[in-house]
Amino acid sequence: MIYIQKEITLKSHSKGIYLITSEILSDLPEINNIRVGIANIFLKHTSASLSINENVSPEVRIDMQNFLDKLIPNEKYFQHNYEGEDDMPAHIKTSLFGNSLTIPITYGRFNLGTWQGIYLCEHRINSHRRKIVVTIIGSE
Amino acid sequence: MIYIQKEITLKSHSKGIYLITSEILSDLPEINNIRVGIANIFLKHTSASLSINENVSPEVRIDMQNFLDKLIPNEKYFQHNYEGEDDMPAHIKTSLFGNSLTIPITYGRFNLGTWQGIYLCEHRINSHRRKIVVTIIGSE
Amino acid sequence: MIYIQKEITLKSHSKGIYLITSEILSDLPEINNIRVGIANIFLKHTSASLSINENVSPEVRIDMQNFLDKLIPNEKYFQHNYEGEDDMPAHIKTSLFGNSLTIPITYGRFNLGTWQGIYLCEHRINSHRRKIVVTIIGSE
């Protein structure tokens, strides 16, 4: 029975969608010892999301970003705009995509599908340093 | 190794988005004994959601509610409308925001970001009593 | 302390939303031995989703499908369209609904609400064989 918990500060990015599977795994060598279990990856922010999607074509991430911007524009009726036009849309995008992922671990690895990668979706225009907490519960 | 599972009936609310972090924690004194672990918070309904977002400004919750109503109106082509015009939109909002959260626990507390709170999103017009199941798996 | 992990291949379906609660449970007789715990159900794909919603009326699933198609059409500006007009919309729908569910287990059963069922949302037009990994962590 193993519990691992670690806070990781991700590389900072301006607005966009980024593949961070390798960045997370490079900070988690302990995962190799887990035969079976789960990993919860929790983003401690309200204007960025985590998601799992296609891990090869960069166009997927660009199209997704453009679609999100079109779907959730800066509506004139928004009252919460202290921090600029990207403020309230960022909060809504966060709730639509979510900020917590739970992934199976099998024989020391995230048991993802062939085409799956972990996305950090930065919804603010300017760069931010984002923190995740990874909690692993599993068995040797 | 500790398992805690508890069903909690939340205060009832009519349509809107509500911060429920304190309400949940007041029913979970046992969390203080968990050094490291996870909490799964599961809402047992199909027309209300759980989400994590900004915990200070009430405008965020109002803007988000208004945006959801605009994004998911009562479409004329909906066939499922037995319970009124808020019926089918409520189901769709539920799947978009989700009804299950998994949150890390660290030294007896939900390890949330500074600005993060837990939202109950009531999608039906009339008040409903909503139930959550909280399951904690952790270590002393 | 019990860990169960199982990969299940679901019945293949063309585009649409399908109730799969019974199909999953028929492959998980071991769940009967779990008094308290959680089940993580993880879909290993990037163009299909899992969600929890209404488990009786088939109209809910039809209305939801039609709404998703209207909300996320094949935009002219999408660059990622190698596999046809349903390609990029399927990726976006996947991230909006998500592909990982965590559900409480109580006395040998998924502790779902009366009206809750597990949905497989197939976003591609043609039939695909989808795989899930179910990980159960619990106590006898």
Side-chain angles (χ1 to χ4, degrees), chain A residues 5 44 75 80 91 95 100, chain B residues 51 53 63 70 102 106 111:
Chain A
Q5 193 173 70
K44 298 180 73 170
E75 303 278 0
H80 179 86
H91 290 306
S95 281
S100 174
Chain B
S51 191
N53 221 302
D63 289 346
K70 191 188 155 209
T102 302
T106 310
N111 192 344

Side-chain angles (χ1 to χ4, degrees), chain A:
Chain A
M1 178 62 190
I2 301 174
Y3 287 91
I4 298 163
Q5 193 173 70
K6 224 171 188 178
E7 188 166 294
I8 298 171
T9 301
L10 300 171
K11 280 181 206 148
S12 58
H13 294 286
S14 56
K15 189 170 172 177
I17 299 182
Y18 305 90
L19 266 176
I20 58 166
T21 320
S22 316
E23 188 180 355
I24 295 174
L25 286 172
S26 70
D27 271 320
L28 278 181
E30 307 91 333
I31 200 176
N32 295 322
N33 302 320
I34 309 293
R35 190 181 53 81
V36 58
I38 56 170
N40 176 257
I41 305 174
F42 186 85
L43 183 69
K44 298 180 73 170
H45 303 275
T46 63
S47 51
S49 304
L50 296 176
S51 190
I52 291 177
N53 220 303
E54 215 265 352
N55 64 6
V56 177
S57 163
E59 287 85 15
V60 171
R61 304 193 294 278
I62 293 167
D63 289 346
M64 195 173 282
Q65 176 62 59
N66 288 333
F67 181 80
L68 278 179
D69 282 347
K70 190 188 157 210
L71 188 71
I72 308 143
N74 184 24
E75 303 278 0
K76 288 201 184 103
Y77 61 80
F78 286 161
Q79 301 173 50
H80 179 86
N81 48 22
Y82 314 139
E83 298 186 25
E85 60 174 36
D86 59 335
D87 189 355
M88 193 59 218
H91 290 306
I92 296 173
K93 290 168 186 171
T94 297
S95 281
L96 284 174
F97 271 31
N99 44 21
S100 174
L101 298 173
T102 302
I103 298 174
I105 298 173
T106 310
Y107 294 119
R109 304 178 60 173
F110 287 154
N111 192 344
L112 297 168
T114 311
W115 307 104
Q116 287 184 315
I118 302 171
Y119 283 8
L120 169 68
C121 311
E122 174 56 62
H123 302 309
R124 300 303 306 273
I125 293 168
N126 293 326
S127 274
H128 283 73
R129 289 182 77 75
R130 303 303 192 176
K131 287 179 184 174
I132 56 173
V133 178
V134 182
T135 308
I136 289 175
I137 300 180
S139 171
E140 285 181 303

Side-chain angles (χ1 to χ4, degrees), chain C residues 60-72:
Chain C
V60 172
R61 303 193 294 279
I62 293 166
D63 289 347
M64 194 172 284
Q65 175 63 60
N66 288 333
F67 181 81
L68 278 179
D69 282 347
K70 191 188 155 211
L71 188 71
I72 307 143

Side-chain angles (χ1 to χ4, degrees), chain C residues 7-21:
Chain C
E7 188 167 293
I8 298 171
T9 302
L10 301 170
K11 280 180 205 148
S12 58
H13 293 285
S14 56
K15 190 171 172 176
I17 299 182
Y18 304 91
L19 267 174
I20 58 167
T21 320

Side-chain angles (χ1 to χ4, degrees), chain C residues 20-140:
Chain C
I20 58 167
T21 320
S22 316
E23 188 180 354
I24 294 174
L25 286 171
S26 71
D27 271 320
L28 278 180
E30 306 91 333
I31 200 176
N32 295 322
N33 302 320
I34 309 292
R35 190 181 53 81
V36 57
I38 56 170
N40 175 256
I41 305 175
F42 186 86
L43 183 68
K44 300 181 72 170
H45 303 274
T46 62
S47 51
S49 304
L50 295 176
S51 191
I52 291 177
N53 220 303
E54 215 264 353
N55 64 7
V56 176
S57 163
E59 287 84 16
V60 172
R61 303 193 294 279
I62 293 166
D63 289 347
M64 194 172 284
Q65 175 63 60
N66 288 333
F67 181 81
L68 278 179
D69 282 347
K70 191 188 155 211
L71 188 71
I72 307 143
N74 185 24
E75 303 280 359
K76 288 199 183 103
Y77 60 80
F78 285 161
Q79 300 173 50
H80 180 86
N81 48 22
Y82 314 138
E83 299 186 24
E85 61 174 36
D86 60 335
D87 189 355
M88 194 58 220
H91 289 305
I92 295 173
K93 291 168 185 171
T94 297
S95 282
L96 284 173
F97 270 30
N99 44 21
S100 174
L101 299 173
T102 302
I103 298 173
I105 298 173
T106 310
Y107 294 119
R109 302 177 61 174
F110 287 153
N111 192 345
L112 297 168
T114 311
W115 308 105
Q116 289 183 315
I118 302 171
Y119 283 8
L120 169 69
C121 310
E122 174 57 62
H123 302 309
R124 300 302 307 272
I125 294 168
N126 293 328
S127 273
H128 284 74
R129 288 182 78 75
R130 303 303 193 177
K131 286 180 184 175
I132 56 173
V133 177
V134 182
T135 308
I136 290 175
I137 300 181
S139 170
E140 285 180 303

